[in-house]
Amino acid sequence: MENSSQVSIVRACSILGGQAALAGRLGVTPAAVNQWIKGLRPVPSKHCPKIEDITGGIVRCEELLPSFNWESLRARPPMGAAHRATDPAPAPGHAGRQPPTTNCMLDTVPDRAAVSIDARAIP
């Protein structure tokens, strides 16, 4: 007996031209797609948004994996936009961190690096 997830995968395959075409677009094997169709394995959640995208929204994430809470993901703004909006603005007239100068070579050494300076060393 087919469930709604299996029907949705079959619909996605028919939109894209077959199991191999869907597998190629997702970067998985045709055997994996076949297992989703037969109900042997659920569609991994990481593939659902891509399937929704490549089918033009005809096959939705909620149909592919009803047990996942897609509403909480849809309510969030995109990662890039949210990150840019929360970045602090630089102070006026401040260009940010400047590149190290040649007379201050220790600027390039990470804080946790094991560095010793011998003041008695002859240059």
Side-chain angles (χ1 to χ4, degrees), residues 3-35:
N3 62 33
S4 64
S5 177
Q6 293 168 283
V7 172
S8 298
I9 284 293
V10 170
R11 193 164 14 121
C13 289
S14 66
I15 291 169
L16 296 171
Q19 294 180 27
L22 177 61
R25 296 287 294 269
L26 297 176
V28 299
T29 64
V33 174
N34 189 270
Q35 290 174 349

PDB file of all heavy atoms in Angstrom, residues 3-35:
ATOM      1  N   ASN A   3       1.800   5.178   0.567  1.00  0.00           N
ATOM      2  CA  ASN A   3       1.404   6.310   1.388  1.00  0.00           C
ATOM      3  C   ASN A   3       1.614   7.594   0.585  1.00  0.00           C
ATOM      4  O   ASN A   3       2.102   7.572  -0.543  1.00  0.00           O
ATOM      5  CB  ASN A   3       2.160   6.318   2.727  1.00  0.00           C
ATOM      6  CG  ASN A   3       3.657   6.457   2.559  1.00  0.00           C
ATOM      7  OD1 ASN A   3       4.134   7.119   1.642  1.00  0.00           O
ATOM      8  ND2 ASN A   3       4.413   5.836   3.448  1.00  0.00           N
ATOM      9  N   SER A   4       1.256   8.726   1.173  1.00  0.00           N
ATOM     10  CA  SER A   4       1.333   9.991   0.440  1.00  0.00           C
ATOM     11  C   SER A   4       2.773  10.351   0.066  1.00  0.00           C
ATOM     12  O   SER A   4       3.015  10.967  -0.973  1.00  0.00           O
ATOM     13  CB  SER A   4       0.715  11.115   1.264  1.00  0.00           C
ATOM     14  OG  SER A   4       1.451  11.317   2.451  1.00  0.00           O
ATOM     15  N   SER A   5       3.726   9.952   0.891  1.00  0.00           N
ATOM     16  CA  SER A   5       5.128  10.221   0.595  1.00  0.00           C
ATOM     17  C   SER A   5       5.569   9.488  -0.671  1.00  0.00           C
ATOM     18  O   SER A   5       6.246  10.057  -1.529  1.00  0.00           O
ATOM     19  CB  SER A   5       6.005   9.810   1.781  1.00  0.00           C
ATOM     20  OG  SER A   5       7.362  10.003   1.488  1.00  0.00           O
ATOM     21  N   GLN A   6       5.166   8.237  -0.777  1.00  0.00           N
ATOM     22  CA  GLN A   6       5.528   7.447  -1.960  1.00  0.00           C
ATOM     23  C   GLN A   6       4.882   8.017  -3.220  1.00  0.00           C
ATOM     24  O   GLN A   6       5.522   8.111  -4.262  1.00  0.00           O
ATOM     25  CB  GLN A   6       5.113   5.985  -1.758  1.00  0.00           C
ATOM     26  CG  GLN A   6       5.908   5.287  -0.674  1.00  0.00           C
ATOM     27  CD  GLN A   6       5.284   3.966  -0.295  1.00  0.00           C
ATOM     28  OE1 GLN A   6       4.288   3.926   0.429  1.00  0.00           O
ATOM     29  NE2 GLN A   6       5.848   2.884  -0.802  1.00  0.00           N
ATOM     30  N   VAL A   7       3.637   8.412  -3.120  1.00  0.00           N
ATOM     31  CA  VAL A   7       2.936   9.005  -4.261  1.00  0.00           C
ATOM     32  C   VAL A   7       3.633  10.302  -4.673  1.00  0.00           C
ATOM     33  O   VAL A   7       3.799  10.578  -5.869  1.00  0.00           O
ATOM     34  CB  VAL A   7       1.448   9.258  -3.912  1.00  0.00           C
ATOM     35  CG1 VAL A   7       0.753  10.053  -4.997  1.00  0.00           C
ATOM     36  CG2 VAL A   7       0.733   7.947  -3.655  1.00  0.00           C
ATOM     37  N   SER A   8       4.063  11.080  -3.706  1.00  0.00           N
ATOM     38  CA  SER A   8       4.734  12.352  -3.994  1.00  0.00           C
ATOM     39  C   SER A   8       6.072  12.137  -4.684  1.00  0.00           C
ATOM     40  O   SER A   8       6.436  12.893  -5.594  1.00  0.00           O
ATOM     41  CB  SER A   8       4.935  13.151  -2.709  1.00  0.00           C
ATOM     42  OG  SER A   8       3.687  13.460  -2.139  1.00  0.00           O
ATOM     43  N   ILE A   9       6.818  11.112  -4.281  1.00  0.00           N
ATOM     44  CA  ILE A   9       8.098  10.817  -4.929  1.00  0.00           C
ATOM     45  C   ILE A   9       7.870  10.365  -6.363  1.00  0.00           C
ATOM     46  O   ILE A   9       8.581  10.775  -7.282  1.00  0.00           O
ATOM     47  CB  ILE A   9       8.885   9.748  -4.136  1.00  0.00           C
ATOM     48  CG1 ILE A   9       9.497  10.375  -2.900  1.00  0.00           C
ATOM     49  CG2 ILE A   9       9.987   9.132  -4.964  1.00  0.00           C
ATOM     50  CD1 ILE A   9      10.587  11.379  -3.181  1.00  0.00           C
ATOM     51  N   VAL A  10       6.848   9.541  -6.585  1.00  0.00           N
ATOM     52  CA  VAL A  10       6.520   9.096  -7.942  1.00  0.00           C
ATOM     53  C   VAL A  10       6.153  10.305  -8.798  1.00  0.00           C
ATOM     54  O   VAL A  10       6.575  10.421  -9.948  1.00  0.00           O
ATOM     55  CB  VAL A  10       5.368   8.058  -7.914  1.00  0.00           C
ATOM     56  CG1 VAL A  10       4.848   7.783  -9.310  1.00  0.00           C
ATOM     57  CG2 VAL A  10       5.840   6.772  -7.262  1.00  0.00           C
ATOM     58  N   ARG A  11       5.394  11.248  -8.221  1.00  0.00           N
ATOM     59  CA  ARG A  11       5.022  12.461  -8.952  1.00  0.00           C
ATOM     60  C   ARG A  11       6.262  13.296  -9.284  1.00  0.00           C
ATOM     61  O   ARG A  11       6.388  13.804 -10.400  1.00  0.00           O
ATOM     62  CB  ARG A  11       4.032  13.271  -8.113  1.00  0.00           C
ATOM     63  CG  ARG A  11       3.354  14.351  -8.900  1.00  0.00           C
ATOM     64  CD  ARG A  11       2.102  14.913  -8.232  1.00  0.00           C
ATOM     65  NE  ARG A  11       1.934  14.561  -6.847  1.00  0.00           N
ATOM     66  CZ  ARG A  11       1.852  15.450  -5.853  1.00  0.00           C
ATOM     67  NH1 ARG A  11       1.912  16.735  -6.102  1.00  0.00           N
ATOM     68  NH2 ARG A  11       1.694  15.054  -4.617  1.00  0.00           N
ATOM     69  N   ALA A  12       7.195  13.413  -8.341  1.00  0.00           N
ATOM     70  CA  ALA A  12       8.435  14.156  -8.597  1.00  0.00           C
ATOM     71  C   ALA A  12       9.235  13.494  -9.714  1.00  0.00           C
ATOM     72  O   ALA A  12       9.787  14.186 -10.588  1.00  0.00           O
ATOM     73  CB  ALA A  12       9.273  14.249  -7.323  1.00  0.00           C
ATOM     74  N   CYS A  13       9.290  12.171  -9.697  1.00  0.00           N
ATOM     75  CA  CYS A  13      10.010  11.442 -10.758  1.00  0.00           C
ATOM     76  C   CYS A  13       9.377  11.690 -12.112  1.00  0.00           C
ATOM     77  O   CYS A  13      10.074  11.898 -13.113  1.00  0.00           O
ATOM     78  CB  CYS A  13      10.035   9.941 -10.454  1.00  0.00           C
ATOM     79  SG  CYS A  13      11.110   9.482  -9.087  1.00  0.00           S
ATOM     80  N   SER A  14       8.058  11.673 -12.163  1.00  0.00           N
ATOM     81  CA  SER A  14       7.384  11.870 -13.455  1.00  0.00           C
ATOM     82  C   SER A  14       7.578  13.304 -13.956  1.00  0.00           C
ATOM     83  O   SER A  14       7.705  13.532 -15.155  1.00  0.00           O
ATOM     84  CB  SER A  14       5.905  11.523 -13.355  1.00  0.00           C
ATOM     85  OG  SER A  14       5.233  12.417 -12.500  1.00  0.00           O
ATOM     86  N   ILE A  15       7.648  14.272 -13.056  1.00  0.00           N
ATOM     87  CA  ILE A  15       7.885  15.667 -13.449  1.00  0.00           C
ATOM     88  C   ILE A  15       9.282  15.822 -14.036  1.00  0.00           C
ATOM     89  O   ILE A  15       9.480  16.512 -15.044  1.00  0.00           O
ATOM     90  CB  ILE A  15       7.691  16.615 -12.247  1.00  0.00           C
ATOM     91  CG1 ILE A  15       6.215  16.669 -11.850  1.00  0.00           C
ATOM     92  CG2 ILE A  15       8.219  18.015 -12.549  1.00  0.00           C
ATOM     93  CD1 ILE A  15       5.966  17.349 -10.527  1.00  0.00           C
ATOM     94  N   LEU A  16      10.257  15.156 -13.419  1.00  0.00           N
ATOM     95  CA  LEU A  16      11.654  15.322 -13.834  1.00  0.00           C
ATOM     96  C   LEU A  16      12.102  14.342 -14.911  1.00  0.00           C
ATOM     97  O   LEU A  16      13.185  14.488 -15.461  1.00  0.00           O
ATOM     98  CB  LEU A  16      12.573  15.200 -12.621  1.00  0.00           C
ATOM     99  CG  LEU A  16      12.369  16.302 -11.580  1.00  0.00           C
ATOM    100  CD1 LEU A  16      13.155  16.000 -10.333  1.00  0.00           C
ATOM    101  CD2 LEU A  16      12.767  17.650 -12.145  1.00  0.00           C
ATOM    102  N   GLY A  17      11.303  13.326 -15.190  1.00  0.00           N
ATOM    103  CA  GLY A  17      11.666  12.389 -16.252  1.00  0.00           C
ATOM    104  C   GLY A  17      12.165  11.041 -15.783  1.00  0.00           C
ATOM    105  O   GLY A  17      12.847  10.346 -16.522  1.00  0.00           O
ATOM    106  N   GLY A  18      11.879  10.663 -14.553  1.00  0.00           N
ATOM    107  CA  GLY A  18      12.246   9.339 -14.082  1.00  0.00           C
ATOM    108  C   GLY A  18      13.071   9.345 -12.810  1.00  0.00           C
ATOM    109  O   GLY A  18      13.520  10.392 -12.343  1.00  0.00           O
ATOM    110  N   GLN A  19      13.255   8.134 -12.280  1.00  0.00           N
ATOM    111  CA  GLN A  19      14.007   7.981 -11.034  1.00  0.00           C
ATOM    112  C   GLN A  19      15.459   8.416 -11.200  1.00  0.00           C
ATOM    113  O   GLN A  19      16.028   9.065 -10.326  1.00  0.00           O
ATOM    114  CB  GLN A  19      13.959   6.530 -10.569  1.00  0.00           C
ATOM    115  CG  GLN A  19      12.588   6.061 -10.160  1.00  0.00           C
ATOM    116  CD  GLN A  19      12.586   4.615  -9.717  1.00  0.00           C
ATOM    117  OE1 GLN A  19      13.593   4.090  -9.253  1.00  0.00           O
ATOM    118  NE2 GLN A  19      11.451   3.950  -9.855  1.00  0.00           N
ATOM    119  N   ALA A  20      16.069   8.064 -12.326  1.00  0.00           N
ATOM    120  CA  ALA A  20      17.474   8.414 -12.549  1.00  0.00           C
ATOM    121  C   ALA A  20      17.644   9.926 -12.641  1.00  0.00           C
ATOM    122  O   ALA A  20      18.634  10.481 -12.148  1.00  0.00           O
ATOM    123  CB  ALA A  20      17.992   7.744 -13.811  1.00  0.00           C
ATOM    124  N   ALA A  21      16.673  10.601 -13.248  1.00  0.00           N
ATOM    125  CA  ALA A  21      16.756  12.061 -13.367  1.00  0.00           C
ATOM    126  C   ALA A  21      16.663  12.719 -11.991  1.00  0.00           C
ATOM    127  O   ALA A  21      17.432  13.632 -11.677  1.00  0.00           O
ATOM    128  CB  ALA A  21      15.650  12.569 -14.281  1.00  0.00           C
ATOM    129  N   LEU A  22      15.729  12.255 -11.169  1.00  0.00           N
ATOM    130  CA  LEU A  22      15.603  12.794  -9.815  1.00  0.00           C
ATOM    131  C   LEU A  22      16.865  12.499  -9.012  1.00  0.00           C
ATOM    132  O   LEU A  22      17.399  13.378  -8.331  1.00  0.00           O
ATOM    133  CB  LEU A  22      14.375  12.225  -9.106  1.00  0.00           C
ATOM    134  CG  LEU A  22      14.170  12.672  -7.650  1.00  0.00           C
ATOM    135  CD1 LEU A  22      13.995  14.178  -7.555  1.00  0.00           C
ATOM    136  CD2 LEU A  22      12.985  11.950  -7.031  1.00  0.00           C
ATOM    137  N   ALA A  23      17.358  11.283  -9.118  1.00  0.00           N
ATOM    138  CA  ALA A  23      18.579  10.898  -8.394  1.00  0.00           C
ATOM    139  C   ALA A  23      19.749  11.783  -8.808  1.00  0.00           C
ATOM    140  O   ALA A  23      20.526  12.241  -7.963  1.00  0.00           O
ATOM    141  CB  ALA A  23      18.901   9.435  -8.649  1.00  0.00           C
ATOM    142  N   GLY A  24      19.869  12.032 -10.110  1.00  0.00           N
ATOM    143  CA  GLY A  24      20.965  12.878 -10.594  1.00  0.00           C
ATOM    144  C   GLY A  24      20.885  14.292 -10.062  1.00  0.00           C
ATOM    145  O   GLY A  24      21.900  14.896  -9.697  1.00  0.00           O
ATOM    146  N   ARG A  25      19.682  14.842  -9.999  1.00  0.00           N
ATOM    147  CA  ARG A  25      19.515  16.210  -9.495  1.00  0.00           C
ATOM    148  C   ARG A  25      19.804  16.312  -8.004  1.00  0.00           C
ATOM    149  O   ARG A  25      20.244  17.348  -7.520  1.00  0.00           O
ATOM    150  CB  ARG A  25      18.091  16.702  -9.762  1.00  0.00           C
ATOM    151  CG  ARG A  25      17.716  16.838 -11.223  1.00  0.00           C
ATOM    152  CD  ARG A  25      18.366  18.025 -11.927  1.00  0.00           C
ATOM    153  NE  ARG A  25      17.948  19.308 -11.459  1.00  0.00           N
ATOM    154  CZ  ARG A  25      16.941  20.014 -11.938  1.00  0.00           C
ATOM    155  NH1 ARG A  25      16.223  19.546 -12.923  1.00  0.00           N
ATOM    156  NH2 ARG A  25      16.656  21.199 -11.427  1.00  0.00           N
ATOM    157  N   LEU A  26      19.561  15.217  -7.272  1.00  0.00           N
ATOM    158  CA  LEU A  26      19.781  15.222  -5.815  1.00  0.00           C
ATOM    159  C   LEU A  26      21.169  14.735  -5.421  1.00  0.00           C
ATOM    160  O   LEU A  26      21.566  14.874  -4.269  1.00  0.00           O
ATOM    161  CB  LEU A  26      18.738  14.348  -5.119  1.00  0.00           C
ATOM    162  CG  LEU A  26      17.288  14.792  -5.247  1.00  0.00           C
ATOM    163  CD1 LEU A  26      16.371  13.774  -4.601  1.00  0.00           C
ATOM    164  CD2 LEU A  26      17.096  16.156  -4.617  1.00  0.00           C
ATOM    165  N   GLY A  27      21.886  14.127  -6.366  1.00  0.00           N
ATOM    166  CA  GLY A  27      23.206  13.583  -6.038  1.00  0.00           C
ATOM    167  C   GLY A  27      23.130  12.295  -5.243  1.00  0.00           C
ATOM    168  O   GLY A  27      24.005  12.023  -4.411  1.00  0.00           O
ATOM    169  N   VAL A  28      22.068  11.513  -5.473  1.00  0.00           N
ATOM    170  CA  VAL A  28      21.926  10.205  -4.822  1.00  0.00           C
ATOM    171  C   VAL A  28      21.833   9.146  -5.907  1.00  0.00           C
ATOM    172  O   VAL A  28      21.748   9.459  -7.087  1.00  0.00           O
ATOM    173  CB  VAL A  28      20.664  10.150  -3.907  1.00  0.00           C
ATOM    174  CG1 VAL A  28      20.750  11.185  -2.803  1.00  0.00           C
ATOM    175  CG2 VAL A  28      19.389  10.330  -4.709  1.00  0.00           C
ATOM    176  N   THR A  29      21.828   7.902  -5.501  1.00  0.00           N
ATOM    177  CA  THR A  29      21.732   6.818  -6.479  1.00  0.00           C
ATOM    178  C   THR A  29      20.268   6.577  -6.855  1.00  0.00           C
ATOM    179  O   THR A  29      19.368   6.844  -6.049  1.00  0.00           O
ATOM    180  CB  THR A  29      22.320   5.511  -5.912  1.00  0.00           C
ATOM    181  OG1 THR A  29      21.519   5.107  -4.797  1.00  0.00           O
ATOM    182  CG2 THR A  29      23.766   5.693  -5.480  1.00  0.00           C
ATOM    183  N   PRO A  30      20.033   6.077  -8.064  1.00  0.00           N
ATOM    184  CA  PRO A  30      18.665   5.695  -8.433  1.00  0.00           C
ATOM    185  C   PRO A  30      18.087   4.647  -7.483  1.00  0.00           C
ATOM    186  O   PRO A  30      16.880   4.618  -7.247  1.00  0.00           O
ATOM    187  CB  PRO A  30      18.807   5.157  -9.847  1.00  0.00           C
ATOM    188  CG  PRO A  30      20.019   5.835 -10.394  1.00  0.00           C
ATOM    189  CD  PRO A  30      20.943   5.976  -9.215  1.00  0.00           C
ATOM    190  N   ALA A  31      18.951   3.817  -6.918  1.00  0.00           N
ATOM    191  CA  ALA A  31      18.487   2.808  -5.961  1.00  0.00           C
ATOM    192  C   ALA A  31      17.895   3.468  -4.712  1.00  0.00           C
ATOM    193  O   ALA A  31      16.907   2.979  -4.154  1.00  0.00           O
ATOM    194  CB  ALA A  31      19.631   1.878  -5.574  1.00  0.00           C
ATOM    195  N   ALA A  32      18.480   4.566  -4.284  1.00  0.00           N
ATOM    196  CA  ALA A  32      17.946   5.280  -3.112  1.00  0.00           C
ATOM    197  C   ALA A  32      16.557   5.812  -3.415  1.00  0.00           C
ATOM    198  O   ALA A  32      15.634   5.685  -2.596  1.00  0.00           O
ATOM    199  CB  ALA A  32      18.876   6.414  -2.714  1.00  0.00           C
ATOM    200  N   VAL A  33      16.392   6.412  -4.598  1.00  0.00           N
ATOM    201  CA  VAL A  33      15.073   6.921  -4.990  1.00  0.00           C
ATOM    202  C   VAL A  33      14.077   5.767  -5.054  1.00  0.00           C
ATOM    203  O   VAL A  33      12.929   5.897  -4.609  1.00  0.00           O
ATOM    204  CB  VAL A  33      15.152   7.675  -6.335  1.00  0.00           C
ATOM    205  CG1 VAL A  33      13.766   8.086  -6.816  1.00  0.00           C
ATOM    206  CG2 VAL A  33      16.056   8.895  -6.217  1.00  0.00           C
ATOM    207  N   ASN A  34      14.500   4.627  -5.573  1.00  0.00           N
ATOM    208  CA  ASN A  34      13.621   3.464  -5.654  1.00  0.00           C
ATOM    209  C   ASN A  34      13.191   2.994  -4.270  1.00  0.00           C
ATOM    210  O   ASN A  34      12.044   2.597  -4.067  1.00  0.00           O
ATOM    211  CB  ASN A  34      14.328   2.340  -6.422  1.00  0.00           C
ATOM    212  CG  ASN A  34      13.410   1.194  -6.720  1.00  0.00           C
ATOM    213  OD1 ASN A  34      13.303   0.266  -5.934  1.00  0.00           O
ATOM    214  ND2 ASN A  34      12.724   1.282  -7.862  1.00  0.00           N
ATOM    215  N   GLN A  35      14.097   3.062  -3.302  1.00  0.00           N
ATOM    216  CA  GLN A  35      13.757   2.677  -1.927  1.00  0.00           C
ATOM    217  C   GLN A  35      12.733   3.637  -1.329  1.00  0.00           C
ATOM    218  O   GLN A  35      11.864   3.222  -0.572  1.00  0.00           O
ATOM    219  CB  GLN A  35      15.015   2.617  -1.065  1.00  0.00           C
ATOM    220  CG  GLN A  35      15.924   1.473  -1.414  1.00  0.00           C
ATOM    221  CD  GLN A  35      17.244   1.515  -0.655  1.00  0.00           C
ATOM    222  OE1 GLN A  35      17.567   2.505  -0.005  1.00  0.00           O
ATOM    223  NE2 GLN A  35      17.997   0.434  -0.748  1.00  0.00           N
TER     224      GLN A  35
END
